[in-house]
């Protein structure tokens, strides 16, 4: 190795999918690499860059070599309304194909960027299959970031291979997912449309993603070994995937300001929320949030409100309504007045990590997005699981069937879009599970003990000597010694 090679600082590109649930952990991973003295460039649209720039500027002022490269998003050229740069702005499922059309139009500017900067590696979201072809032109290896865990990937692969849902007499009949370390039960209602409906767009996208996966260098996983050891082994040894567990990446945010500015600007003053929580007893408050992408309709919001009121427990509730609706129109008459001091409603965006870490929070009603589950585990808080779409029913099974740190609310059907208009779960069921989790019951206490142990494991995993710290170290060392194939 020559002197210039020895002094070469590893340069890694990061290209997140334009959705907050994907961008937030990708930014955290990029910052983890930068903190290990890797040069980092993050590719973002102008809107997304404006949201994350303060965090990146703070890292740069700390001496890290981390930068944002802005790409214009070709919304109009792809047939989308002007100004759309993020999945959050889509108003109907019919817009999704055009959104991916716009993404694929980024291949040429990406290739120009790769040619100009010649990064050593590129980490890109699973949905950005265009990156594999672009990177291959310059001999640049590509890592895939799935944004989920080992467990859900193992379940998905088993479902594809064995098709245990075929031959089931009804959509609500349970079947066992074969070939896994645990007995995992599902119903056909909980399966995504990939297994039930033929769609030319979905089929083509899945084929392109699978092809990109086969050509990739490996996978970065936002998880830690102690959380799902059997599935980390299954993923690597049975499925044959090269993968590195480097999470929970949310723990990169140690300072209050990092927790506050993680994602969009909170729609409430964080100090007001903390002061409000300070007035509550330890573990007495239920936090309710269905993620950055989900939208809950008026009928279901009404049932949640009535269930919360009937339970009598304090709560912090993040409300995101369907597009063009106002939630005040369907909260029960006088609800907010009656809940004064008992419940706090936050509209649109909340500093979630900050809230979960507060000692007053004793439970989390969640849509089972992986970021939320991992942040909840890290905070040592048990869950009420309410999956909606994506891989969230798999995540619910991990929480309730494997880890046993959560209670199902009873949501039964996978949704094909981020909006839910029907009241799938009634107030009586909601009130019962809230009481079950938040009350002084033996089952709930056992969950608290288990999740507290996992929380301590999570924090140890990212410290020097921990499993995730070691995996990231091994990966960076491997990247430093990697040699591009001679052409």
């Amino acid at each position: 190795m020559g002197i210039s090679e020895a002094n070469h600082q590893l340069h890694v590109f990061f290209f997140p999918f334009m959705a907050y649930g994907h961008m937030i952990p990708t930014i955290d991973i990029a910052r983890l690499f930068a903190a290990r003295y890797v040069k980092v460039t993050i590719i973002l649209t102008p809107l997304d860059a404006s949201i994350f720039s303060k965090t990146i500027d703070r890292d740069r002022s700390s001496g890290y070599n981390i930068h944002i490269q802005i790409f214009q998003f070709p919304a109009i050229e792809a047939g989308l309304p002007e100004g759309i740069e993020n999945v959050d702005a889509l108003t109907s499922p019919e817009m999704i194909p055009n959104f991916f059309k716009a993404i694929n139009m980024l291949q040429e500017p990406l290739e120009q960027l790769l040619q100009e900067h010649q990064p050593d590696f590129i980490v890109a979201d699973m949905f950005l299959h265009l990156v594999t072809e672009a990177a291959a032109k310059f001999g640049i290896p590509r890592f895939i970031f799935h944004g989920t865990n080992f467990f859900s990937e193992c379940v998905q692969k088993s479902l594809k291979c064995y098709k245990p849902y075929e031959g089931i007499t009804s959509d609500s009949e349970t079947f066992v997912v074969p070939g896994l370390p645990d007995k995992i039960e599902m119903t056909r209602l909980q399966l995504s449309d990939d297994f039930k409906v033929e769609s030319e767009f979905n089929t083509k996208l899945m084929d392109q993603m699978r092809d990109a996966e086969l050509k990739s260098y490996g996978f970065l996983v936002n998880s830690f070994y102690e959380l799902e050891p059997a599935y980390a082994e299954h993923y690597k040894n049975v499925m044959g995937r090269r993968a590195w567990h480097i999470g929970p990446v949310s723990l990169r945010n140690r300072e209050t300001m990092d927790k506050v500015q993680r994602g969009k600007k909170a729609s409430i003053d964080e100090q007001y929320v903390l002061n409000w929580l300070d007035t509550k007893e330890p573990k007495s408050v239920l936090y309710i949030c269905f993620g950055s992408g989900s939208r809950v309709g008026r009928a279901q919001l009404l049932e949640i409100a009535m269930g919360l009121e009937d339970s009598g427990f304090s709560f912090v509730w993040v409300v995101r309504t369907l597009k063009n609706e106002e939630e005040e129109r369907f909260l029960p008459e006088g609800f907010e007045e009656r809940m004064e001091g008992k419940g706090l409603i936050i509209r649109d965006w909340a500093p979630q990590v900050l809230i979960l870490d507060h000692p007053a929070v004793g439970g989390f009603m969640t849509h089972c997005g992986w970021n939320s589950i991992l942040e909840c585990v890290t905070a040592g808080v048990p869950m009420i699981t309410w999956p909606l779409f994506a891989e969230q029913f798999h995540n619910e099974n991990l929480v309730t069937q494997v880890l046993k740190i959560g209670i199902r609310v009873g949501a039964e059907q996978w949704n094909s879009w981020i909006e839910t208009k029907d009241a799938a779960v009634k107030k009586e069921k909601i009130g019962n599970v809230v009481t079950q989790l938040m009350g002084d019951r033996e089952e709930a206490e056992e969950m608290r003990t288990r999740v507290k142990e996992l929380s301590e494991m999570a924090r140890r995993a990212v410290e020097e000597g921990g499993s995730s710290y070691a995996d990231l170290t091994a990966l960076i060392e491997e990247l430093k010694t990697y040699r591009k194939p001679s052409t």
Side-chain angles (χ1 to χ4, degrees), residues 1-10 480-484:
M1 184 184 290
I3 292 173
S4 61
E5 285 184 84
N7 293 335
H8 170 72
Q9 186 181 24
L10 203 63
K480 284 178 181 175
T481 58
Y482 177 82
R483 289 287 171 272
K484 289 182 183 177

Side-chain angles (χ1 to χ4, degrees), residues 124-382:
D125 192 279
M126 61 176 182
F127 286 123
L128 306 178
H129 55 81
L130 68 113
V131 172
T132 299
E133 188 181 331
K137 289 185 179 179
F138 303 96
I140 299 169
R142 179 254 172 112
F143 284 88
I144 288 177
F145 177 58
H146 271 290
T148 186
N149 47 62
F150 291 110
F151 175 84
S152 69
E153 290 297 309
C154 294
V155 172
Q156 196 75 356
K157 179 71 172 178
S158 178
L159 289 168
K160 292 280 185 192
C161 284
Y162 298 107
K163 298 180 170 49
Y165 50 88
E166 291 184 348
I168 300 296
T169 54
S170 79
D171 282 348
S172 56
E173 182 186 342
T174 59
F175 60 84
V176 175
V177 184
L180 296 175
D182 295 286
K183 182 184 177 184
I184 304 301
E185 295 183 319
M186 292 189 71
T187 68
R188 207 155 50 193
L189 279 175
Q190 298 170 339
L191 295 175
S192 63
D193 281 349
D194 302 346
F195 297 100
K196 296 179 286 193
V197 182
E198 279 292 321
S199 157
E200 186 182 344
F201 170 74
N202 278 348
T203 302
K204 185 180 178 184
L205 179 62
M206 292 301 162
D207 287 346
Q208 289 170 326
M209 285 166 56
R210 270 193 294 272
D211 184 53
E213 286 182 3
L214 291 172
K215 294 174 181 174
S216 74
Y217 189 90
F219 299 80
L220 300 188
V221 184
N222 181 19
S223 187
F224 59 103
Y225 186 82
E226 295 81 359
L227 184 67
E228 41 174 353
Y231 295 92
E233 296 294 341
H234 185 93
Y235 191 73
K236 294 173 187 177
N237 300 327
V238 178
M239 290 171 58
R241 301 287 176 86
R242 282 166 56 81
W244 291 262
H245 49 82
I246 57 173
V249 299
S250 60
L251 285 174
R252 178 71 188 89
N253 303 276
R254 289 187 167 88
E255 304 300 323
T256 298
M257 192 53 71
D258 281 341
K259 294 176 184 179
V260 169
Q261 291 181 349
R262 194 163 172 264
K264 285 203 293 187
K265 181 176 169 56
S267 46
I268 190 169
D269 178 67
E270 67 276 359
Q271 199 53 54
Y272 178 84
V273 181
L274 293 177
N275 291 344
W276 189 89
L277 288 169
D278 285 343
T279 66
K280 305 300 176 189
E281 294 294 317
K283 297 181 172 51
S284 67
V285 178
L286 177 70
Y287 175 61
I288 306 130
C289 181
F290 293 101
S292 56
S294 310
R295 295 288 182 274
V296 178
R298 75 171 68 180
Q300 188 62 78
L301 278 177
L302 180 61
E303 296 292 332
I304 294 172
M306 292 189 294
L308 288 173
E309 186 167 1
D310 290 348
S311 78
F313 288 94
S314 295
F315 61 86
V316 174
W317 182 12
V318 182
V319 177
R320 291 192 186 95
T321 58
L322 302 190
K323 303 288 184 183
N324 308 316
E325 285 194 356
E326 292 295 328
E327 79 278 0
E328 286 87 349
R329 286 164 39 199
F330 42 86
L331 285 175
E333 188 70 35
F335 177 77
E336 291 199 70
E337 290 76 15
R338 291 193 302 278
M339 294 299 102
E340 186 74 38
K342 191 85 176 173
L344 180 63
I345 294 177
I346 301 175
R347 285 152 179 91
D348 193 38
W349 196 272
Q352 180 160 295
V353 172
L354 206 62
I355 292 170
L356 286 171
D357 282 345
H358 195 284
V361 175
F364 181 14
M365 183 182 285
T366 173
H367 68 310
C368 297
W370 183 239
N371 295 326
S372 289
I373 288 176
L374 209 48
E375 288 158 15
C376 195
V377 166
T378 303
V381 175

Side-chain angles (χ1 to χ4, degrees), residues 45-48 73-76 80-86 89-90 99:
T45 67
L47 173 69
D48 295 336
F73 193 75
I76 296 171
L80 292 166
E82 186 177 1
I84 285 187
E85 299 178 19
N86 192 293
L90 301 182
F99 191 80

